[in-house]
Each structure stands twice: as structure tokens, then as C-alpha cells.
């Protein structure tokens, strides 16, 4: 293999130093975070309950939509199967009564 075409990324000491400072500040900020007061914790819990309810409603709506699409696909497939089966036996398919007719 020819490794002469490997692209190298230039190392920037200034950028690495800047990244190290940001990284350390993120830990310092987390270490100094205060706990919530009971009122603040109640508000946060209330918001989480609202989010959970909204997520449940969204899940139900998505399940209903997917179920409706699946039911439509099954119905279409059943009708197509019956049309092919009736045709194979020399009959016509009547979609109103879902049966083969002469």
C-alpha cells in the first residue's frame, strides 16, 4: 500500500489549550451547581409530568396512525389476493360482496 497520500491534520497548540480550558470550565460549572429548592424541584417535577403526558399522547397517536396504515395495507392485499385467485379460477372478483362471481 502506498501511504504517501495520507492527509494529516495540523496540530494547533492554541486550539488544544482553548479546548482544555473549555473542558475544565464545564467541570467546574457542574461542581458549583446548587441543588433545587423544594419549590423549584416541584416545578421541575411538574414539567416532567407534563412532558410524560405529552409523550404518551404522541405515542398513542403514532400507534393509531401506524395501525390504520397497516389495516389499509392488509385490506388492499386481501383484495388483490382475491382478485388474483378468482382470475386464476376463471371468475371475476366482486369487491362489494368480497367474493368470486361468474
Amino acid at each position: 500500500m502506498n501511504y504517501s497520500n495520507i492527509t494529516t491534520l495540523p496540530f494547533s497548540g492554541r486550539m488544544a489549550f482553548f479546548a482544555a480550558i473549555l473542558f475544565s470550565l464545564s467541570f467546574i460549572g457542574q461542581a458549583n451547581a446548587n441543588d433545587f429548592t423544594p419549590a423549584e424541584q416541584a416545578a421541575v417535577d411538574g414539567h416532567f409530568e407534563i412532558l410524560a403526558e405529552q409523550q404518551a399522547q404522541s405515542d398513542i397517536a403514532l400507534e393509531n396512525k401506524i395501525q390504520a396504515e397497516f389495516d389499509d395495507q392488509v385490506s388492499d392485499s386481501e383484495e388483490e389476493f382475491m382478485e388474483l385467485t378468482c382470475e386464476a379460477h376463471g371468475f371475476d372478483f366482486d369487491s362489494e360482496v368480497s367474493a368470486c362471481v361468474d
Side-chain angles (χ1 to χ4, degrees):
M1 268 190 147
N2 184 1
Y3 293 106
S4 62
N5 293 334
I6 294 177
T7 303
T8 59
L9 297 174
F11 176 76
S12 170
R14 182 181 302 161
M15 200 60 149
F17 180 71
F18 183 67
I21 288 175
L22 286 177
F23 189 70
S24 63
L25 287 176
S26 68
F27 279 113
I28 292 169
Q30 289 296 323
N32 291 331
N34 295 328
D35 291 334
F36 291 123
T37 65
E40 291 171 336
Q41 187 62 47
V44 169
D45 292 342
H47 286 291
F48 278 131
E49 286 178 25
I50 292 170
L51 288 173
E53 291 171 7
Q54 290 295 322
Q55 184 64 45
Q57 291 174 0
S58 178
D59 289 346
I60 290 170
L62 180 61
E63 288 173 8
N64 290 338
K65 178 184 174 212
I66 290 172
Q67 184 65 47
E69 290 174 0
F70 177 73
D71 291 343
D72 290 343
Q73 290 175 354
V74 168
S75 178
D76 292 344
S77 295
E78 287 175 344
E79 190 168 317
E80 182 181 350
F81 172 76
M82 286 303 296
E83 286 175 2
L84 293 173
T85 302
C86 291
E87 184 180 308
H89 294 287
F91 297 105
D92 292 324
F93 177 70
D94 185 357
S95 60
E96 290 183 20
V97 293
S98 295
C100 295
V101 292
D102 213 1

